Amino acid sequence: MVILLLGGGGREHALAASIAESPLCDRLIVAPGNAGIAMLAECRPLAITDPSAVVALARELDAGLVVVGPEAPLAEGVADTLSTAGIPVFGPSRAAAALEASKSFTKEVCDACAAPTAGWARFDAAATARAHIEAAGAPIVVKADGLAAGKGVTVAMTVDDALAAVDALMAEPGAEVVIEEFMTGEEASLFVLADGEVAIPLASAQDHKRAFDGDEGPNTGGMGAYSPAPVLDAVVETRAMETIVRPVLAEMARRGTPFRGLLYAGLMIEGGNPRLVEFNVRFGDPEAQVVLPRLRSDIVPLMMAAGEGRLAETALGWTEAVALTVVLAARGYPGGYAKGEAIGGLAAAAAVEGVRIFHAGTARGTVSGTAAGTGAGEGDILSAGGRVLAVTALGRDLVEARARAYRAVDLIDWPGGFCRRDIGWRALPADADSTGR
Ligand code: AMP
Ligand code: GLY
């Protein structure tokens, strides 16, 4: 079968690696892909948020399955257009993707099925939003009611910060804000495969969203992750499935918009009780880079079954190993950063036991006017984005996985890059070597 995968980040490199291992996959095309993905699949340029362009390429390739990596094409209805064209797709419809695209829609669905989440209210005028904040007090959470790629959320510790966030968001014409109760606890994510009716929990993970060690600095897409998440044990997982995931999926089906694909439930866990922070309608990045390397089952039949309502017939196998990934980002990320810098040492890093390197923002090229690009035949991997590499290691436990990941990171030669040195700290014993060195 020909499989077309949409996206070009570290998540898609991890998806491509799993899909390419399937005996069902004869040819894998990734659009647009990146320099790492190009080592195991064909890459094609494509406007992936344009449904008709996606269908045209899928038809040209005679694709038997299209896998959608990021949320933006789903919110644009790419899965609907593919389904209408009779092309199997892994990823929810536009209506079901509203579970990520609209905060207030998700809150309404949670309320309709009594799924535990933070109390909330929606406002379309700054004055009423401000009055609500002044009455409720801080801490309080202010969110833009739309897809904001991780931005647009302010966890305000003071009333003034919350009011400033409202003013900034409401400066946009037609903007709406959701104001939420501040929840305390520990965050972790549960990844679930759903076919519209049946839901199978895949695995748990925790990521590190802040840019710097000690969970300091600005929010990012994620600087590292590990799986499983110790805080999301079997009891908490069962509670999350029974009180949040299954009721929400049943409510979506009842509304005539069943969810088929990968549901990412971001949870706040306190005293063993999970509450929903947010849903995403696709794998996490970098969580996919720790969840997928642990999956022993062939992912392609699972994706097909999710699309066809046959998940009840499937079974999952996992390795005993745990996984941890460290993201290497360009200095300055998530603000401005340089591109086009040569990255060396990748072959040596990938040779460390248990290590797999997933590319995110990388491209092939040569750095003119420097000696870079001449080393070991790999110098032509260049940085081309904010998050550039995810260095994943499997190990018997997190201590081993982390030591391996940082050993590999330290072999990568990229002076313009940085990473956090404390990935996994919440889950590791206090006396574990915090540098991994
Ligand atoms: P979101 O985009 O909704 O996931 O929010 C981004 C981050 O803000 C989450 O990962 C949490 O760390 C934090 N956050 C969001 N909503 C809340 C809440 N109601 N209470 C506490 N923290 C929150
Ligand atoms: N790492 C968080 C996300 O993918 O949304």
Side-chain angles (χ1 to χ4, degrees):
M1 169 166 59
V2 177
I3 299 179
L4 171 61
L5 167 64
L6 305 183
R11 164 181 53 212
E12 286 76 26
H13 193 176
L15 281 165
S18 292
I19 292 168
E21 277 173 18
S22 171
L24 297 172
C25 179
D26 301 312
R27 184 177 172 208
L28 175 61
I29 295 94
V30 186
N34 61 40
I37 293 171
M39 294 182 218
L40 56 88
E42 299 165 46
C43 293
R44 295 277 285 259
L46 179 68
I48 62 171
T49 53
D50 176 352
S52 50
V54 173
V55 168
L57 180 60
R59 283 220 172 99
E60 177 199 322
L61 297 166
D62 197 18
L65 175 66
V66 179
V67 177
V68 185
E71 63 276 18
L74 298 165
E76 293 299 326
V78 161
D80 308 66
T81 310
L82 285 162
S83 296
T84 306
I87 301 165
V89 55
F90 181 73
S93 68
R94 180 183 184 151
L99 285 177
E100 175 165 357
S102 168
K103 307 270 185 209
S104 58
F105 174 80
T106 301
K107 289 295 199 180
E108 281 162 13
V109 170
C110 285
D111 287 355
C113 63
T117 183
W120 68 290
R122 177 174 48 185
F123 300 92
D124 58 10
T128 44
R130 292 177 63 100
H132 176 88
I133 289 167
E134 274 160 357
I140 194 160
V141 181
V142 179
K143 300 184 178 184
D145 191 16
L147 262 192
K151 301 174 193 92
V153 175
T154 302
V155 179
M157 289 300 151
T158 65
V159 166
D160 283 348
D161 285 353
L163 295 176
V166 165
D167 291 343
L169 292 174
M170 294 311 257
E172 297 281 319
E176 299 199 339
V177 289
V178 168
I179 298 181
E180 286 184 16
E181 167 200 356
F182 172 77
M183 294 188 286
T184 52
E186 188 169 340
E187 282 187 84
S189 306
L190 181 61
F191 296 87
V192 177
L193 273 175
D195 72 359
E197 275 185 32
V198 175
I200 303 182
L202 267 184
S204 63
Q206 271 176 296
D207 76 343
H208 294 260
K209 290 200 171 76
R210 301 298 194 102
F212 308 131
D213 284 13
D215 291 330
E216 303 274 343
N219 259 315
T220 70
M223 294 298 294
Y226 47 97
S227 176
V231 68
L232 219 168
D233 61 18
V235 172
V236 177
E237 177 181 295
T238 302
R239 284 188 185 142
M241 290 300 293
E242 298 312 323
T243 66
I244 300 171
V245 174
R246 291 203 169 100
V248 164
L249 292 174
E251 174 64 16
M252 292 298 285
R254 195 190 64 75
R255 291 173 179 229
T257 52
F259 185 95
R260 299 191 184 94
L262 189 289
L263 187 66
Y264 165 148
L267 305 171
M268 187 72 83
I269 300 157
E270 194 170 44
N273 291 312
R275 295 168 83 189
L276 184 76
V277 178
E278 61 160 351
F279 282 125
N280 294 308
V281 298
R282 36 78 192 170
F283 273 106
D285 187 342
E287 292 93 329
Q289 294 93 308
V290 286
V291 168
L292 294 172
R294 296 178 52 231
L295 179 64
R296 217 190 277 129
S297 311
D298 185 344
I299 197 168
V300 173
L302 292 169
M303 290 173 155
M304 299 289 292
E308 293 167 2
R310 291 188 293 98
L311 269 182
E313 299 163 21
T314 62
L316 287 176
W318 296 90
T319 65
E320 291 290 307
V322 307
L324 181 143
T325 196
V326 178
V327 169
L328 266 88
R331 259 181 227 290
Y333 172 80
Y337 49 81
K339 291 186 187 176
E341 297 174 342
I343 302 170
L346 290 171
V352 173
E353 189 176 359
V355 166
R356 302 187 68 156
I357 298 179
F358 297 113
H359 289 222
T362 64
R364 286 247 173 221
T366 47
V367 180
S368 54
T370 75
T374 57
E378 63 178 25
D380 59 348
I381 296 286
L382 306 182
S383 64
R387 290 190 295 173
V388 171
L389 299 167
V391 179
T392 295
L394 293 174
R396 269 171 320 202
D397 54 26
L398 273 183
V399 174
E400 184 176 73
R402 173 149 94 163
R404 288 174 170 178
Y406 281 110
R407 207 176 308 141
V409 163
D410 290 336
L411 291 167
I412 295 174
D413 180 15
W414 177 30
F418 80 99
C419 68
R420 282 182 57 161
R421 301 288 324 180
D422 65 346
I423 300 302
W425 68 266
R426 272 179 203 282
L428 282 159
D431 59 353
D433 176 358
S434 67
T435 66
R437 277 185 241 247

